[in-house]
Amino acid sequence: MQTSIGSLVVPHLSRSLVLARIGWQYRLSSVHPLNQRPFTTGSPGNDVKKLNGAEGRSATSPSPPTSSTKSTTTSSSTGSATRQSSVPSDWDENPDLSISAFSQLPSSTFGYNQHMIINSEFKEALRQILWQFRAPIRYAFAYGSGVFPQTASGSKSASTVHAHPSPAISTVQGGQGKMIDFIFGVSYTQHWHSLNLQQHRDHYSAIGSLGSSFVSRVQDNYGAGVYFNPYVTVNGNLIKYGVVNLDTLCRDLSEWDTLYLAGRLQKPVKILRDDPRVRLANQINLISAVRTALLLLPSDFTEQELYGTIAGLSYLGDPRMALPAENPNKVANIIKHQLPNFRRLYAPLIENLPNVAFHDSRCNSSEWIDDPDTNATLAQDMDPKKRGNMVRRLPRSFRSKLYFRYQSKFQIPQLEFDKMLEESNDQDPTRVKKQQGGVFDQRVANDRQEDLIVEVKKAIKSTVQWPSVTQSLKSIVTTGVVRSFRYAREKMAKYRDGRKREKEDLSRQKSG
């Protein structure tokens, strides 16, 4: 089969290829290199059996498809395509972010692309860390280089970072001993900190002495709404955990008001406890990241260019990237070492978008999904009407910033601009609107590509910069001077290491 993307005719890598291989049935039998470790692993099926309800503990879950479905899906083409694509095409038009059960999601397999498969013993070691907190955690994920490698494995010398790490964590980290980062989503901020202060007072700086009410006000009212406790030891492992209210998390995922947590979830993470509302909001976040990246990319591009653009969105206004406080090659390293996971995260979403498709025969190979060396090509339709629809469907807060930038550029009178904003208002619950791009959206999308890239990036920077700066300043208070200094020192070390590797690579290229 073939499909048209604008004037292009490209191979139609239908749901039987992409979704059946990346969807949940394929992932039951998927063996990622991270799983190929010299110690016993459990069935990867355990990962997906608990996606709905079991690890969320608070939501009603639909029954996952049985293993018998697997053979049907992988052997059938058209039939499996229909089952895998049961998600309504307009699911993101008017999403209901007040849902409380997984059965209320658009389909029974909705959002399974968010769940990365990792070694089962490593996953269990991470989950055991969560069980050391008596305060209720509704949603949790582990992320960063302590979970997903961003560089080649170093020497396997013993590390003193973890006091008594589990064998699974030591093996997955290759003996490098990296701090493990977590985000905890909670329902009631003050109540959570009250319980956690009673159990883990040593996790907090001096600010904890002022009580849970003060701690929760600092968390919710400043920065990006996250309270971090770094360099704490739980179950013999050094971790950093951030606490965020679920409402704050869902708002950032669906509207991009700060892109602080939305940016983290645009990259592969390991979800340890799930929540239906967050899963829905994060799917909005992921498809919004694809649309934003498409606006920044030409008609033809590669997987690495797409995923690199997505991974770099939240770093555009991050002050650490302008200072010697982060590895300058961070985004490239993430893509290089996590390409298969980016495929699992985004390929099902790409397949369901009408204006972009994979355009590479290598995707027909059964080895494509887990092949880190294949950099497939894609093609998108540059028709202003379709790109205008993408502009119209950008997250509300971010879209408003982009609109204001183009109001100034196009010199639109304020009254006319206000009327246009009213017509595109998503907040009126009495009106169910189809999010089709209007004349203004199409005009934005049809702007000269170089200018559009500049305006979109400026809108992203204005979204990210202030929350990131204030969150960094807040962290000095919440983590204490000593731990803040340690954190800054380690970040500068990563910067120097990145620069050193960059010079070594340039030297090898010249000598070669």
Side-chain angles (χ1 to χ4, degrees):
M1 290 183 63
Q2 292 181 322
T3 187
S4 296
I5 299 294
S7 59
L8 298 171
V9 177
V10 301
H12 183 60
L13 302 180
S14 67
R15 295 164 181 83
S16 62
L17 273 174
V18 178
L19 295 187
R21 289 178 182 166
I22 304 177
W24 93 271
Q25 284 98 335
Y26 168 80
R27 288 166 59 242
L28 280 172
S29 60
S30 169
V31 181
H32 188 270
L34 185 61
N35 289 339
Q36 298 174 358
R37 298 289 182 179
F39 57 97
T40 305
T41 62
S43 167
N46 294 335
D47 233 34
V48 291
K49 289 176 183 177
K50 297 180 180 178
L51 296 191
N52 289 343
E55 292 183 331
R57 295 192 301 169
S58 59
T60 304
S61 65
S63 299
T66 63
S67 58
S68 61
T69 313
K70 175 182 166 184
S71 59
T72 304
T73 302
T74 53
S75 62
S76 169
S77 58
T78 308
S80 66
T82 304
R83 284 191 292 276
Q84 287 283 353
S85 62
S86 58
V87 180
S89 60
D90 61 347
W91 66 267
D92 61 329
E93 292 274 352
N94 295 279
D96 181 9
L97 291 173
S98 65
I99 63 172
S100 58
F102 287 103
S103 59
Q104 295 173 288
L105 289 169
S107 77
S108 61
T109 58
F110 183 84
Y112 275 20
N113 56 301
Q114 298 174 23
H115 285 264
M116 300 295 106
I117 292 180
I118 63 174
N119 175 272
S120 59
E121 291 185 11
F122 181 46
K123 181 197 72 173
E124 184 59 27
L126 297 177
R127 293 182 67 237
Q128 286 301 318
I129 291 174
L130 299 187
W131 287 111
Q132 305 309 308
F133 291 84
R134 289 198 292 266
I137 300 170
R138 289 287 303 273
Y139 181 84
F141 65 88
Y143 67 100
S145 59
V147 182
F148 298 98
Q150 296 176 9
T151 59
S153 298
S155 62
K156 303 211 173 186
S157 58
S159 172
T160 58
V161 171
H162 301 299
H164 303 287
S166 73
I169 290 176
S170 295
T171 304
V172 169
Q173 292 190 347
Q176 296 183 47
K178 295 185 176 182
M179 181 168 65
I180 302 173
D181 298 337
F182 294 88
I183 292 293
F184 298 161
V186 304
S187 298
Y188 304 101
T189 306
Q190 182 177 346
H191 176 65
W192 196 92
H193 284 295
S194 175
L195 294 175
N196 201 47
L197 279 165
Q198 294 176 30
Q199 184 186 8
H200 298 299
R201 175 61 186 87
D202 58 314
H203 290 186
Y204 294 78
S205 65
I207 200 173
S209 302
L210 301 176
S212 61
S213 178
F214 187 82
V215 169
S216 62
R217 285 201 302 273
V218 171
Q219 172 184 318
D220 294 333
N221 298 336
Y222 300 97
V226 188
Y227 191 102
F228 282 105
N229 282 328
Y231 301 108
V232 299
T233 298
V234 179
N235 262 19
N237 303 289
L238 190 71
I239 73 167
K240 175 182 76 176
Y241 63 92
V243 184
V244 63
N245 187 279
L246 284 179
D247 293 335
T248 301
L249 175 59
C250 290
R251 185 171 60 251
D252 191 36
L253 291 173
S254 60
E255 299 183 13
W256 285 12
D257 56 349
T258 69
L259 262 174
Y260 192 83
L261 293 172
R264 281 163 172 75
L265 282 160
Q266 286 165 4
K267 295 173 274 292
V269 303
K270 179 53 192 174
I271 298 172
L272 301 166
R273 289 186 188 168
D274 206 352
D275 177 87
R277 188 159 62 109
V278 180
R279 190 190 292 187
L280 175 58
N282 192 33
Q283 203 76 339
I284 296 170
N285 172 46
L286 296 175
I287 200 166
S288 298
V290 174
R291 288 174 175 143
T292 304
L294 291 176
L295 291 174
L296 296 171
L297 291 166
S299 58
D300 297 283
F301 51 92
T302 66
E303 279 187 293
Q304 288 189 6
E305 289 172 331
L306 172 63
Y307 304 145
T309 301
I310 291 173
L313 292 178
S314 61
Y315 291 121
L316 283 174
D318 192 330
R320 296 175 302 173
M321 302 306 289
L323 299 170
E326 188 57 87
N327 187 336
N329 303 311
K330 186 179 183 72
V331 172
N333 288 338
I334 292 173
I335 301 304
K336 178 180 179 181
H337 295 279
Q338 292 300 318
L339 184 58
N341 279 334
F342 272 94
R343 283 195 192 111
R344 291 187 177 92
L345 193 59
Y346 287 107
L349 296 174
I350 294 168
E351 177 65 14
N352 282 321
L353 287 173
N355 58 320
V356 62
F358 286 94
H359 185 199
D360 198 312
S361 60
R362 291 175 295 179
C363 299
N364 291 295
S365 169
S366 60
E367 305 297 324
W368 169 59
I369 301 304
D370 286 320
D371 183 4
D373 298 320
T374 296
N375 185 21
T377 56
L378 298 94
Q380 66 165 318
D381 192 340
M382 302 299 282
D383 175 59
K385 184 175 180 180
K386 292 183 178 179
R387 286 169 69 81
N389 289 339
M390 290 200 302
V391 172
R392 177 65 184 82
R393 295 185 180 191
L394 293 174
R396 186 176 65 90
S397 180
F398 172 70
R399 187 180 71 228
S400 296
K401 292 181 176 68
L402 186 62
Y403 279 0
F404 280 116
R405 295 206 60 81
Y406 272 97
Q407 179 202 14
S408 176
K409 179 175 181 177
F410 294 156
Q411 297 183 338
I412 300 175
Q414 189 63 45
L415 288 177
E416 182 182 340
F417 184 69
D418 289 343
K419 182 180 178 181
M420 183 270 296
L421 288 182
E422 173 61 26
E423 290 175 352
S424 65
N425 179 30
D426 299 329
Q427 296 303 103
D428 188 349
T430 64
R431 294 186 292 179
V432 177
K433 292 188 174 183
K434 186 139 183 96
Q435 295 183 343
Q436 296 290 339
V439 175
F440 179 75
D441 300 291
Q442 293 176 27
R443 190 178 175 190
V444 170
N446 202 33
D447 193 16
R448 217 164 54 106
Q449 184 66 13
E450 295 83 356
D451 294 340
L452 178 61
I453 290 172
V454 169
E455 297 301 332
V456 170
K457 286 187 174 181
K458 285 182 177 179
I460 294 171
K461 287 180 181 179
S462 66
T463 299
V464 173
Q465 197 164 40
W466 180 245
S468 294
V469 170
T470 53
Q471 181 69 40
S472 297
L473 294 174
K474 181 176 79 172
S475 294
I476 297 175
V477 177
T478 58
T479 63
V481 176
V482 174
R483 287 189 288 185
S484 295
F485 178 77
R486 179 181 177 183
Y487 183 77
R489 185 180 60 191
E490 291 182 0
K491 285 295 182 181
M492 286 188 285
K494 287 185 177 181
Y495 173 84
R496 290 192 297 269
D497 183 60
R499 286 298 185 195
K500 181 180 177 181
R501 288 173 182 265
E502 192 174 23
K503 290 179 181 178
E504 290 173 351
D505 290 341
L506 287 172
S507 178
R508 279 194 295 268
Q509 290 174 8
K510 288 180 180 178
S511 62

